[in-house]
Amino acid sequence: MSENRRQILQMLSEGKITADEAERLMAALEKEPRPEPLKGEALKPRAKYLRVLVEAQEHGHNGSPTKVNIRVPMQLLRAGVRLGALIPREARDRANEALREKGVQFDLNQIKPENLEELIEQLNDLEVNVDEDRAKVRVFCE
Amino acid sequence: MPPLTLRIHVLDRYGRELRLWIPLFLLWLLLLPFALLILPVLFVVCVVIDVDPFRGVAAVLGVLSSLRDSRIQVDAAEASVFVHVI
């Protein structure tokens, strides 16, 4: 939410402006052109793939470590979340309960297709590096 | 569009190589009559479990279509396997 919108809502909640005035101000805000990105603030390209790289330190007969390289299109993640939204509510509630029992405070009902883009956008900056004796795991988006 | 070809490349430790191009579009054509037969059953199941059948079918087709350009490569001591969905 932009700072301007926040201020309008704040003024509305404090009773400084009426709901009609707030609506007009919001409409005026929407008409305003969006600010151009600053110079040097190049837009980050959207990630197209989720990559998972695993390098296990188990050496085989030829002495080379086992490597796994997976490239998953981000589109598949989007489709997966859309499919997940179709899970019946009863099943989701049971899954939520199981998650809570495991100590994971997460509500699957909160994942909705409308929040999907935001969720995927946040994955762009995801990077997981696990460096252990037995294996190295790297998860990132590109 | 669902994936049309599956490319599999296997190379074992003796240097034997296997390259496969599996035409998935033929598989879809073969499955199409079965899909049409199953569709009414699927519709009833969706209604029973309270899921919009049209959204369900669209979501499954969406997952199938999104599989394109997925790649899995495993290099192990015994063999190397490369799978590419095209």
Side-chain angles (χ1 to χ4, degrees), chain B residues 5 13 29 57:
Chain B
T5 315
R13 63 176 164 145
L29 284 176
V57 170

Coordinates of all heavy atoms in Angstrom, one line a residue, chain B residues 5 13 29 57:
Chain B
T5 N 6.9 -33.4 -26.5 CA 8.0 -34.4 -26.6 C 8.7 -34.6 -25.3 O 8.8 -33.6 -24.5 CB 9.0 -34.0 -27.7 OG1 8.3 -33.6 -28.8 CG2 9.9 -35.1 -28.1
R13 N 27.9 -46.2 -16.9 CA 29.3 -46.1 -16.6 C 30.2 -46.9 -17.6 O 31.4 -46.7 -17.6 CB 29.6 -46.6 -15.2 CG 29.3 -48.0 -14.9 CD 29.7 -48.3 -13.5 NE 29.1 -49.6 -13.1 CZ 29.7 -50.4 -12.2 NH1 30.9 -50.2 -11.8 NH2 29.1 -51.5 -11.9
L29 N -3.1 -38.0 -27.8 CA -4.2 -38.5 -28.8 C -4.8 -39.8 -28.3 O -6.0 -40.0 -28.5 CB -3.5 -38.6 -30.2 CG -3.3 -37.3 -30.9 CD1 -2.6 -37.6 -32.3 CD2 -4.6 -36.6 -31.2
V57 N -10.5 -29.0 -14.1 CA -9.9 -29.4 -15.4 C -8.9 -28.3 -15.9 O -7.8 -28.7 -16.3 CB -11.1 -29.6 -16.4 CG1 -10.5 -29.8 -17.8 CG2 -11.9 -30.8 -16.0

